[in-house]
Amino acid sequence: MLAFQKSNAQEKPNIVFILSDDAGYADFGFQGSKDFKTPNLDALAKSGVKFTQAYVSAAVCGPSRAGLLTGMYQQKFGYEENNVPGYMSHSGLTGDDMGLPLDQKTVADYLQKLGYKTAVFGKWHMGNADRFHPTKRGFDEFYGFRGGARSYYEITKHSKKQRKEDRLERGFEGYKESEIYLTDALAKETMSFMERNKENPFFVYLSFNAVHTPMEARADDLKTIPSHLTGKRRTLAAMTIGLDRACGQVLQKIKDLGIEKNTLIVFANDNGGPSDSNESNNHPLSGTKANHLEGGIRIPFLMSWKGQLKKSTTFNKPVSTLDLLPTFVTLAGGDVSKIKGLDGVDLLPYLKKGNKGKPHETLYWKKEARGAIRHNDYKLIRFPDRPAELYNIEDDISEVNDLASVHPEKVKELYKMLFDWELTLERPLWQLKRVYEGKAAVRMDKYRKPKINN
């Protein structure tokens, strides 16, 4: 049980967490893009802190979200793979039975007990079965879809896919499709929730499916894209305009409601951009979604709180989306020392109180036989089919200079640390029928050289 502070509930800060889906590391203005126009998110970056070394706990959507929602490495409770049809489990689970284990508390569970109104808008991807539903995992309100991806437009009886988890849902089993572009609809619902709860502390988890496939953009946004961008890259740029516009509407609503000084705003992405399926740009990082190079696990990450966090600042030490739960719960008046097994830390002391230490000296990743560890400046990547690779991330952000043969003792040290960590994990609750997942099974040499694609 969390300890409560004695402060008046209405004095507690609101928390708005915005998550984009499959965006490229460099596909935002505040990350250096010249072609992708994101004025609203650029303004958010200038209003607070930009993290230059922010990581997710997994290189694919589902496990990454399980980690950020629980504040602990998701492999600790067996959530190592995406929960999608085509998987199998050692206990006979089917696709719909795969989800965030019910014995795991979410950040919404903790905030709800601390007096917050909680809501998730958009992609859930934490289990399709009713028992995994957001309204049973700490969220008072839900408007979105249970699965991992769906059309940005109305799904009708004539649509090719009629899966329950793809359908747009309000609350529990309140199915009704939106008549407007889904990215816009999610922003609209978020603004309505904030309006209705402006007198109470609230937590918003705005979980966009943008810019995940399918590649569908508004026609008017496509018309604004420069002619030198073509194909998927052109569509992605237009979808990013839609994402930025929706974020801008939510941010403006916070200002209009007069709650800007009492609202912490966080923007992040769920994993690296999949440069094959949507032609995202992860420059200067090597790698892509589903692998453990930096392009698969390092993300854009912003935090803003008017009057509390200094404007136009950068934080250059490693942080993780595992840090969201302890940051949010502590801010809400909870005592995270009472929560067993947390791997994240409260970030605000490092930003507000001058804590000069590192939030994390060591971070881990694992998927099947593949794994990675970053310890201080060095990162080891372990493969099932060839020797491990070692990089000095501070000196070599693009991971092009393998130092494994130069520092064999460092390889041995990090290998042992990675193995020791793996001994603390549970067996995966489900696995792919094949040995490795799609592109992740391919040698990563094709992703080695960062793509320059402004």
Side-chain angles (χ1 to χ4, degrees):
M1 183 65 67
L2 293 173
F4 288 80
Q5 292 182 348
K6 295 182 179 180
S7 60
N8 186 300
Q10 292 186 358
E11 295 176 358
K12 294 182 178 182
N14 306 305
I15 302 167
V16 175
F17 172 46
I18 304 173
L19 188 69
S20 59
D21 193 350
D22 277 11
Y25 185 75
D27 284 337
F28 299 91
F30 66 87
Q31 292 287 92
S33 179
K34 299 297 188 293
D35 286 332
F36 280 44
K37 305 302 181 184
T38 56
N40 296 297
L41 288 171
D42 297 350
L44 180 65
K46 291 179 181 178
S47 72
V49 182
K50 182 173 81 168
F51 296 80
T52 61
Q53 298 194 57
Y55 290 95
V56 288
S57 60
V60 292
C61 307
S64 171
R65 291 160 191 263
L68 69 87
L69 284 171
T70 60
M72 63 182 69
Y73 287 108
Q74 62 281 351
Q75 298 95 338
K76 283 185 173 180
F77 45 86
Y79 201 131
E80 190 169 308
E81 301 273 8
N82 268 332
N83 55 323
V84 295
Y87 283 56
M88 66 178 181
S89 75
H90 54 79
S91 57
L93 296 177
T94 63
D96 281 350
D97 291 323
M98 299 173 185
L100 183 66
L102 300 183
D103 60 349
Q104 298 302 314
K105 300 285 188 183
T106 72
V107 61
D109 285 317
Y110 296 116
L111 293 177
Q112 199 175 53
K113 290 180 180 179
L114 290 163
Y116 278 64
K117 292 293 184 181
T118 59
V120 54
F121 301 101
K123 174 175 172 175
W124 178 234
H125 206 25
M126 289 292 98
N128 299 333
D130 289 350
R131 64 183 178 276
F132 300 123
H133 196 269
T135 58
K136 300 180 181 182
R137 309 309 299 270
F139 290 98
D140 296 308
E141 296 189 21
F142 171 56
Y143 179 82
F145 58 100
R146 301 188 192 188
R150 57 150 284 159
S151 174
Y152 291 80
Y153 292 101
E154 184 177 4
I155 296 177
T156 70
K157 63 181 180 180
H158 303 296
S159 301
K160 291 182 180 180
K161 292 184 178 180
Q162 282 291 310
R163 299 182 304 184
K164 180 179 179 181
E165 64 264 29
D166 295 336
R167 296 167 62 191
L168 199 56
E169 183 179 16
R170 185 187 298 277
F172 182 70
E173 293 194 333
Y175 295 104
K176 183 179 180 181
E177 288 294 305
S178 171
E179 296 180 356
I180 63 175
Y181 188 66
L182 184 54
T183 304
D184 298 324
L186 298 179
K188 181 179 178 181
E189 292 294 328
T190 299
M191 291 187 288
S192 173
F193 173 82
M194 294 192 301
E195 175 76 45
R196 287 182 280 109
N197 292 281
K198 60 186 177 182
E199 302 300 329
N200 305 295
F202 62 75
F203 168 58
V204 167
Y205 172 30
L206 177 48
S207 177
F208 285 112
N209 56 319
V211 290
H212 195 291
T213 55
M215 303 303 292
E216 296 172 349
R218 279 177 30 173
D220 57 335
D221 290 333
L222 279 167
K223 291 179 180 179
T224 69
I225 305 303
S227 60
H228 68 274
L229 295 179
T230 60
K232 293 179 181 178
R233 188 76 180 151
R234 181 180 186 84
T235 305
L236 180 62
M239 294 171 72
T240 303
I241 286 176
L243 169 67
D244 182 74
R245 177 179 53 245
C247 290
Q249 291 170 347
V250 172
L251 298 175
Q252 184 60 49
K253 187 65 174 180
I254 292 171
K255 295 178 183 178
D256 293 344
L257 292 174
I259 57 175
E260 194 176 11
K261 291 184 178 181
N262 199 40
T263 302
L264 175 70
I265 304 165
V266 177
F267 173 82
N269 190 54
D270 67 340
N271 47 246
S275 56
D276 54 343
S277 63
N278 71 358
E279 295 191 7
S280 56
N281 178 15
N282 293 324
H283 182 76
L285 312 177
S286 288
T288 185
K289 175 182 178 179
N291 66 49
H292 291 146
L293 291 165
E294 292 290 283
I297 55 178
R298 191 186 288 210
I299 58 165
F301 191 101
L302 305 173
M303 187 176 292
S304 178
W305 187 3
K306 187 174 182 180
Q308 299 291 330
L309 298 179
K310 190 176 179 180
K311 296 181 180 179
S312 298
T313 58
T314 58
F315 188 80
N316 299 315
K317 298 172 184 176
V319 301
S320 170
T321 49
L322 297 173
D323 301 329
L324 293 172
L325 184 149
T327 300
F328 295 167
V329 172
T330 301
L331 184 65
D335 181 359
V336 294
S337 69
K338 305 293 185 181
I339 304 176
K340 293 182 179 180
L342 281 184
D343 295 299
V345 300
D346 177 12
L347 292 177
L348 289 178
Y350 296 90
L351 306 178
K352 293 179 62 179
K353 298 179 181 179
N355 187 328
K356 302 300 182 183
K358 289 183 178 179
H360 299 278
E361 288 191 350
T362 310
L363 291 168
Y364 303 93
W365 298 268
K366 178 186 178 295
K367 189 167 186 285
E368 298 150 349
R370 295 179 290 120
I373 175 175
R374 175 171 176 176
H375 180 61
N376 293 321
D377 293 346
Y378 283 94
K379 178 182 171 186
L380 176 90
I381 307 178
R382 185 190 68 201
F383 304 96
D385 58 348
R386 65 188 189 277
E389 297 173 359
L390 178 72
Y391 299 98
N392 185 314
I393 296 299
E394 288 291 344
D395 295 340
D396 181 19
I397 189 175
S398 300
E399 293 171 293
V400 295
N401 185 22
D402 181 8
L403 301 174
S405 62
V406 180
H407 299 296
E409 290 303 314
K410 180 62 68 173
V411 171
K412 182 178 179 180
E413 174 193 351
L414 296 187
Y415 243 120
K416 185 180 185 305
M417 291 178 67
L418 181 58
F419 282 141
D420 288 345
W421 174 69
E422 288 177 310
L423 291 175
T424 69
L425 308 179
E426 290 291 333
R427 183 180 179 184
L429 292 173
W430 56 85
Q431 296 174 290
L432 280 170
K433 290 180 179 178
R434 300 177 302 282
V435 178
Y436 304 115
E437 179 185 7
K439 291 293 187 294
V442 180
R443 286 179 64 93
M444 289 190 287
D445 299 322
K446 65 176 290 188
Y447 302 116
R448 178 65 60 200
K449 187 176 181 180
K451 180 173 67 173
I452 301 175
N453 200 1
N454 287 333

